Every structure is written in C-alpha cells, then in structure tokens.
Amino acid sequence: MRKPRAAVGSGHRKQAASQEGRQKHAKNNSQAKPSACDAEVTAFRGSLLSWYDQEKRDLPWRRRAEDEMDLDRRAYAVWVSEVMLQQTQVATVINYYTGWMQKWPTLQDLASASLEEVNQLWAGLGYYSRGRRLQEGARKVVEELGGHMPRTAETLQQLLPGVGRYTAGAIASIAFGQATGVVDGNVARVLCRVRAIGADPSSTLVSQQLWGLAQQLVDPARPGDFNQAAMELGATVCTPQRPLCSQCPVESLCRARQRVEQEQLLASGSLSGSPDVEECAPNTGQCHLCLPPSEPWDQTLGVVNFPRKASRKPPREESSATCVLEQPGALGAQILLVQRPNSGLLAGLWEFPSVTWEPSEQLQRKALLQELQRWAGPLPATHLRHLGEVVHTFSHIKLTYQVYGLALEGQTPVTTVPPGARWLTQEEFHTAAVSTAMKKVFRVYQGQQPGTCMGSKRSQVSSPCSRKKPRMGQQVLDNFFRSHISTDAHSLNSAAQ
C-alpha cells in the first residue's frame, strides 16, 4: 500500500541509512511536492472545520467568544475557560465557569476580588494555583497594561503569569484570530495518529514535531475554530482508548488507520512483507518518532498504538492525621478550620487542624491534641475519637488522612481564636474555600454522628441519601452526546475531556 507523500499523511518515509538521513527525518519529515502537500492540508482543514460546524458542543465559553465584540472581554472569557479546562473535564468545568463569569464578568471585576473569594469559588476544581494565577494575571492587565490584554501568543506568554505556550496560542487564535497552532493532550493524540507517531508525545523531540505540524495545519482564515475543532476531535472522537474512527472526518488521511489496514492484510496473508512505516532508518537505529522498540505493534490496540506514552511515575505516598473539632454555637454546631500557608500544596485554602502521621496511636493522639490546643485552648483528650481514613490523590501525592473527631459538649464555647483560624457552621463550611479532600473528611465525620443519613464511607457508595444528582453541566453534556453521537456509555465518559 503506497503511502501519501504530503505533510499530513506522510508519517515516516524511508530514509538513507545514515546519520544525516535520520536527522533530516526528525527535522524535515514533511518535505513533499508543494502541490500535494497543499492539497492534503487543504483537505484536512476543510474536512475538520466542516465536521466542527456540524458537531461542536454548545459550551458557554464558545458562546461568549462568538458573541462578545469587545476584544479584551472576549480574550478574558477564553482565558478563564482554558485555565479551568487544564487537567479538568468539560462536564466539571461548565458550572464553575458559569459561576465565575457571573461573579467576575470582566478583568476589572476579577482584579478587585480577594484571593479568599477566588479560592472559595475554585474550591473542588483542583490545581488551586490556577485560580490564583488567573487573578494575578488580571491584576497585571488592569494595573500595568491599561486594562488591555496582550494581542499575540508571544506577548501573552511573555507578560501574563501562568500563561504557557498552549494557553497563549488558544487565546490568541480564538479571541484575536492569530494564525497560531496549539497542542494540548487532545491535539497531540490526533496528530500522532494522523501521522502514525508512536513515540511519547511529551518528549522534547516529538513535542517539537507536533507544534511544527500544528502551525503548518492551522487554518489562517479560521484559526480559532480550527484549533477548537482539533481539540474537539480528540475529546469526542479520537479518544484515548475507544476512538470512533468511523465518525472521524479525517479518517482517510489518518496514517494510524492505514497502518491498521496494512496489519490486517498481513495477518490474513493478502499482503507480503511488512509495513514500511517503521523503516525510516533501518540501519542506524530506532527512529525517535516510531513506536518504542520495547513496545512493538499490538494487533489488539489498533489505532490506539499511537501514541505510546511513557509510564508515569506513581505519586509519592504521605499520611497525616486530621481532626474535626466541633462545638455548639448560637446558629448551630460550629467546626474549626485553619488556613494553609500562602505557598505550596493547596495554598491559602482552609482545612481541619492536621499533623503529620506518627508511628504509634499514642504519639498520634498526643501530636494531634497539641495542634488542636494551639488553636482552641485546653481540650479534653478523652473525647478524641478515631473515625476512619480518607485517601485522596493529588497530581503528585497520594495522601491518606486518619480522621479523628472531637465534640465539645457541656463546655463554654471558644469565642476567640488566633489569626489563621475560624469557626464555621456546617452550612458555611460547604461554601468555604476548602479542598475536596477536606469535604471527604467531613463526610466521614458526619457519618459517625448520631441522626445523620450519611453512614460509613463504604455505605455512602450505595446509600440513597448520599447519592448526588449529576451536575447541570454533566446533564447538558450527556444530552448533547445522546443527540449527536451514537455509541456506548463507556466511550462517552472517556471522551469528555
């Protein structure tokens, strides 16, 4: 089967068996006749954009970008969405984005907000430094840039804190129409499959290739739509595990699909020899863009052979003890929260008093009681109860919380606490700037209290009173998929990136 020669479909062409040939392959593997290259690029753009116009999801940030005439407000709306969508699924972001834009519809509104307010609204979304950097960026725009967002990807990345290459390119293309390509996880997967790149896309060499290809492909007339279309394709069709190849608008240009067809013919005996996709440098060693030699072609994976990601380092494991301290109050029971430092993990958020894990139960109780007394004064040690544990995984840390509870009854309520601590009612707790991990801890505490419907942590999974209704954003997303894509539910869940 003859391979296309153009940039989009060329994949790995045979090279001379020399070091010079391999270097040329890594740097210029898209060399081809200009007319053929232009034709395939044009076909790729046209097919992808036509599909996007028909199948794109109706998302709040897209509506804002399309309807907003003020360039600074449009760029701000795109900026917020792109930051929220980093490492977070679309269905989760919808409600957070809607609430954020209602509270702070302009850069000026966000710049005047407090960090406490930002953390409070961001609570539960994870990767909390994102919200802090958004506010820092908004303040810089208002205070140092005259209220105007930088207009190019280069200046956005240079001037705004927390704005990297991808975010800068997304803002510049969607808000300002700059013809600049972008590469996120979804786009990288699409491009790796289109060009049959099997190597780890996070490696420096492969990443450079992908950014170069994205820049070559971006449609100069509709750069923002093109970039969103590429991301949409990766999120809903060209998914990590169960791609819907029959619904792909660029299937005919996809080298991964061609490789699958070649392998099927080989397996059936209809084709002799072997696919030449791996033969780019047969005598000089493994190509840096091919499947790694330790992970050869897997017939059962199909197009999912591309790309192969390097195995991730498991998160380090840590343990701590935390205590929910409760006392009666005029408006109901109150619980004690303390604020984390302004830097590091969960910076500035509120949590229950905590200490590092101790090797013995006696030492653990002693350390935890000392920490509680530091904030609330003398406390009865005999009332401290161990209630269970909570395991929560952050991006690089798997943290196990040993959960304790201490209810103060028949004592004079503590009315004054040092700076960095405060008493909140249970209702106030649920709207405060606390992490998801602390909400898990509180559910364990509630489950051990008389008269609650929560039950133990295990029973929460199946207990009717603890089941949550799906967020409105998830309902919107589910309804969209039901009306546009017919497939199994498992594929839909994996596609909503």
Side-chain angles (χ1 to χ4, degrees):
M1 183 176 291
R2 185 179 180 184
K3 299 192 299 294
R5 299 177 62 192
V8 174
S10 59
H12 310 317
R13 297 175 307 172
K14 290 184 178 180
Q15 302 289 318
S18 66
Q19 182 67 25
E20 179 182 1
R22 183 165 62 170
Q23 291 175 345
K24 286 183 178 179
H25 171 70
K27 295 183 67 175
N28 301 311
N29 63 345
S30 61
Q31 291 179 354
K33 292 181 180 180
S35 59
C37 177
D38 291 345
E40 286 225 47
V41 169
T42 300
F44 187 89
R45 291 170 176 168
S47 298
L48 184 60
L49 285 169
S50 295
W51 169 84
Y52 179 71
D53 290 338
Q54 294 295 320
E55 304 293 341
K56 65 182 178 181
R57 291 170 289 184
D58 181 20
L59 300 173
W61 43 91
R62 288 179 179 164
R63 292 196 298 271
R64 282 183 176 269
E66 292 170 358
D67 298 339
E68 181 58 64
M69 299 304 295
D70 183 278
L71 291 181
D72 293 308
R73 294 184 67 147
R74 183 193 305 169
Y76 168 64
V78 174
W79 184 15
V80 172
S81 70
E82 292 299 337
V83 172
M84 286 188 172
L85 287 165
Q86 294 168 11
Q87 308 294 328
T88 309
Q89 292 186 345
V90 166
T92 301
V93 169
I94 289 176
N95 280 352
Y96 281 94
Y97 181 84
T98 301
W100 182 285
M101 298 305 294
Q102 288 175 346
K103 189 174 182 66
W104 302 303
T106 69
L107 284 159
Q108 289 73 17
D109 294 322
L110 178 58
S112 63
S114 67
L115 180 58
E116 176 73 14
E117 291 176 304
V118 171
N119 284 337
Q120 185 174 344
L121 195 148
W122 201 275
L125 195 56
Y127 298 90
Y128 293 90
S129 62
R130 294 180 297 170
R132 184 174 66 252
R133 287 177 178 172
L134 255 176
Q135 187 193 37
E136 291 173 0
R139 285 181 173 173
K140 183 167 185 178
V141 171
V142 171
E143 297 172 2
E144 301 179 24
L145 304 179
H148 298 297
M149 291 278 290
R151 293 300 197 253
T152 67
E154 295 75 18
T155 53
L156 284 162
Q157 186 175 354
Q158 178 184 2
L159 297 177
L160 298 185
V163 173
R165 187 177 184 181
Y166 163 76
T167 304
I171 297 171
S173 61
I174 298 170
F176 303 130
Q178 182 184 357
T180 182
V182 299
V183 177
D184 70 347
N186 286 319
V187 176
R189 184 169 56 257
V190 168
L191 297 182
C192 281
R193 288 175 181 168
V194 166
R195 298 216 28 225
I197 295 174
D200 178 12
S202 65
S203 70
T204 301
L205 186 145
V206 178
S207 178
Q208 291 173 349
Q209 295 291 311
L210 296 178
W211 277 97
L213 183 58
Q215 185 60 44
Q216 182 182 3
L217 293 176
V218 65
D219 190 318
R222 299 176 61 187
D225 286 342
F226 179 89
N227 287 335
Q228 291 182 91
M231 291 184 271
E232 188 85 338
L233 186 66
T236 63
V237 175
C238 194
T239 56
Q241 299 301 325
R242 292 174 176 81
L244 310 174
C245 293
S246 63
Q247 300 180 28
C248 179
V250 294
E251 182 185 13
S252 63
L253 300 170
C254 180
R255 287 286 293 144
R257 284 295 300 167
Q258 295 172 23
R259 174 66 186 270
V260 170
E261 293 168 1
Q262 287 177 326
E263 293 288 347
Q264 290 173 344
L265 290 173
L266 279 171
S268 67
S270 302
L271 184 68
S272 60
S274 61
D276 56 6
V277 71
E278 300 290 349
E279 298 177 5
C280 55
N283 297 322
T284 58
Q286 176 69 17
C287 167
H288 293 295
L289 302 180
C290 292
L291 289 168
S294 59
E295 299 181 68
W297 176 265
D298 185 338
Q299 188 74 31
T300 65
L301 292 179
V303 299
V304 179
N305 278 283
F306 305 99
R308 297 285 183 83
K309 294 184 178 181
S311 58
R312 296 182 60 182
K313 183 180 179 181
R316 71 176 187 269
E317 297 192 10
E318 297 183 0
S319 298
S320 69
T322 187
C323 181
V324 180
L325 178 62
E326 180 182 311
Q327 71 172 5
L331 300 178
Q334 295 179 320
I335 50 179
L336 180 68
L337 293 180
V338 298
Q339 193 169 30
R340 291 184 61 84
N342 290 326
S343 61
L345 182 68
L346 306 176
L349 269 66
W350 294 83
E351 66 178 7
F352 300 114
S354 304
V355 295
T356 56
W357 180 81
E358 295 290 347
S360 74
E361 176 72 11
Q362 183 178 2
L363 290 175
Q364 189 72 87
R365 287 176 172 273
K366 181 180 179 181
L368 189 55
L369 190 63
Q370 288 176 344
E371 176 67 11
L372 292 169
Q373 291 175 338
R374 185 165 76 92
W375 298 105
L379 298 171
T382 55
H383 292 179
L384 187 63
R385 296 185 300 130
H386 182 258
L387 306 177
E389 70 176 34
V390 164
V391 178
H392 188 81
T393 302
F394 300 93
S395 59
H396 58 291
I397 300 174
K398 181 180 180 181
L399 188 52
T400 299
Y401 296 91
Q402 297 298 330
V403 182
Y404 288 79
L406 198 164
L408 302 179
E409 299 176 356
Q411 293 186 210
T412 304
V414 179
T415 57
T416 59
V417 290
R422 61 181 182 177
W423 292 94
L424 297 180
T425 65
Q426 293 190 17
E427 291 73 21
E428 290 170 334
F429 169 82
H430 289 296
T431 59
V434 297
S435 67
T436 300
M438 288 298 105
K439 291 180 180 179
K440 290 181 180 180
V441 167
F442 190 57
R443 286 199 294 270
V444 170
Y445 175 78
Q446 284 185 307
Q448 299 295 326
Q449 303 310 302
T452 65
C453 78
M454 299 295 287
S456 67
K457 185 181 179 184
R458 282 193 174 90
S459 69
Q460 289 176 33
V461 177
S462 58
S463 171
C465 65
S466 65
R467 289 190 192 130
K468 294 182 178 179
K469 294 182 180 180
R471 288 177 177 268
M472 181 60 68
Q474 182 66 61
Q475 295 174 1
V476 171
L477 199 59
D478 289 345
N479 289 337
F480 170 85
F481 277 128
R482 290 192 189 98
S483 62
H484 287 76
I485 299 178
S486 176
T487 186
D488 61 278
H490 190 79
S491 296
L492 298 182
N493 290 334
S494 65
Q497 296 294 320

